Amino acid sequence: MTQDDARLGEFMRRHRRWLERAGLLDRPWLFFASSPSATLPSSLPPRTAHIYIKFSGFAGRARGLAEPDLILVNDHHIDRQTAGLRCHRLLALTPKDRKVVADRFRHRIPFLEPRLMHLSDSERDLICGAVLGDAFRGVGKMVRPSNGIALICYAILFDIPKIIVSGMSLTDDGHSNPHRKKFQRLHKEEDQASFAHLATRFPSLSTSEPELSALTGVPLFQG
C-alpha cells in the first residue's frame, strides 16, 4: 500500500461517516454550479439531495431550488457564501492541513455531529487523482480542474447513485452571483477533458446542460 492509498483510505472513512450521518450516501445528488444560464431539470428523482458550490446557493434559491443539503465553500468568508441559507452540511476548502487534523479529533467525539468538514488542497488533489488519473494534465494552462470537478469526483468516490450536473459551462464566462458578473471562467480545457473521461467510466453521471453533454459525451439527464 502506498502513502497515497493510506491517506485516501483515512480520508474516505472520515468523510463517509460524516455523509452517512447526514443521510446523503444513498440519495441522488443535484450538483448546481455558478453558470448564469443554467438549465435545470424539469423534474428530479425522489429524495434528491441539493449540492451547491460557493455562491451558487443564492442562484439556487432564486430559481426556487431547495436549501442546500451540502455546500462547498472556501473556509474564508463562509458567512458571505451562505448568508441566509439553511445549510445542512458545509464542506470547506482550506489550504491549511492543520484544520483537517483538527477535524480528525472533532469528528471522533461521541454524539457530536459537526456541520462543518474541511477539505484541504492536498486532499482535493488526492481525490481528483484517484478518480481522473492524468486525464486533465497538459490540456490547458491550469494545474488542476475546477473545484466543481473536484466535488463531482468526491461524489463518485462515495458511490453516489446518481449525479446530475447543472449550471456548469465550458464556454460561458460570467457568474450567477450578481457581484461577480465579470468573472472569467478558468479550467475550461481541464474540465472538458475531465468530463470526457468521466463520461466513459461512470454511468451515474449525467447533466441537464445540453451544451455540456454535446461537448463531453456526458449523458443528458431526462427528468
Side-chain angles (χ1 to χ4, degrees), residues 32 52 56-68 82-86:
F32 188 64
Y52 299 97
S56 67
F58 302 117
R61 181 172 56 186
R63 298 287 295 270
L65 294 176
E67 296 284 351
T82 61
L85 298 173
R86 294 191 300 275

Side-chain angles (χ1 to χ4, degrees), residues 127-217:
I127 62 177
C128 284
V131 176
L132 295 169
D134 293 330
F136 58 88
R137 300 189 191 281
V139 298
K141 297 179 180 179
M142 307 303 291
V143 174
R144 58 181 60 86
S146 67
N147 289 326
I149 290 290
L151 189 57
I152 292 168
C153 290
Y154 182 85
I156 287 171
L157 265 184
F158 292 103
D159 297 318
I160 299 304
K162 184 177 288 294
I163 305 161
I164 306 160
V165 177
S166 295
M168 280 194 77
S169 174
L170 299 174
T171 57
D172 291 345
D173 289 326
H175 200 286
S176 58
N177 178 2
H179 300 294
R180 303 192 75 192
K181 284 185 177 179
K182 295 182 180 180
F183 177 80
Q184 182 180 3
R185 197 165 303 284
L186 305 175
H187 312 278
K188 291 177 182 177
E189 294 85 359
E190 291 81 6
D191 282 8
Q192 183 164 346
S194 297
F195 271 123
H197 176 88
L198 297 172
T200 64
R201 290 164 174 81
F202 300 102
S204 58
L205 180 67
S206 62
T207 180
S208 61
E209 303 291 346
E211 183 184 63
L212 181 61
S213 177
L215 287 172
T216 64

Side-chain angles (χ1 to χ4, degrees), residues 11-213:
F11 169 87
M12 291 189 66
R13 286 189 293 273
R14 180 162 39 92
H15 282 254
R16 186 178 294 279
R17 286 195 303 268
W18 185 65
L19 293 169
E20 188 173 29
R21 289 172 179 171
L24 291 175
L25 285 179
D26 64 344
R27 298 167 62 185
W29 283 17
L30 172 67
F31 171 81
F32 188 64
S34 59
S35 170
S37 55
T39 302
L40 291 175
S42 57
S43 62
L44 291 168
R47 301 179 62 243
T48 295
H50 288 70
I51 314 297
Y52 299 97
I53 179 167
K54 299 180 182 177
F55 291 95
S56 67
F58 302 117
R61 181 172 56 186
R63 298 287 295 270
L65 294 176
E67 296 284 351
D69 293 282
L70 183 147
I71 184 167
L72 178 71
V73 295
N74 285 322
D75 71 335
H76 57 281
H77 304 306
I78 288 178
D79 290 345
R80 287 177 54 202
Q81 297 162 82
T82 61
L85 298 173
R86 294 191 300 275
C87 307
H88 190 46
R89 286 287 191 271
L90 295 173
L91 184 61
L93 288 164
T94 179
K96 300 175 181 178
D97 288 331
R98 63 178 175 78
K99 292 188 176 182
V100 173
V101 173
D103 276 351
R104 290 193 183 109
F105 290 100
R106 181 164 53 249
H107 285 258
R108 289 174 188 163
I109 299 174
F111 311 112
L112 179 66
E113 292 195 17
R115 174 171 168 253
L116 177 70
M117 176 74 86
H118 287 94
L119 177 68
S120 70
D121 289 348
S122 61
E123 288 177 326
R124 178 192 57 195
D125 291 343
L126 184 68
I127 62 177
C128 284
V131 176
L132 295 169
D134 293 330
F136 58 88
R137 300 189 191 281
V139 298
K141 297 179 180 179
M142 307 303 291
V143 174
R144 58 181 60 86
S146 67
N147 289 326
I149 290 290
L151 189 57
I152 292 168
C153 290
Y154 182 85
I156 287 171
L157 265 184
F158 292 103
D159 297 318
I160 299 304
K162 184 177 288 294
I163 305 161
I164 306 160
V165 177
S166 295
M168 280 194 77
S169 174
L170 299 174
T171 57
D172 291 345
D173 289 326
H175 200 286
S176 58
N177 178 2
H179 300 294
R180 303 192 75 192
K181 284 185 177 179
K182 295 182 180 180
F183 177 80
Q184 182 180 3
R185 197 165 303 284
L186 305 175
H187 312 278
K188 291 177 182 177
E189 294 85 359
E190 291 81 6
D191 282 8
Q192 183 164 346
S194 297
F195 271 123
H197 176 88
L198 297 172
T200 64
R201 290 164 174 81
F202 300 102
S204 58
L205 180 67
S206 62
T207 180
S208 61
E209 303 291 346
E211 183 184 63
L212 181 61
S213 177

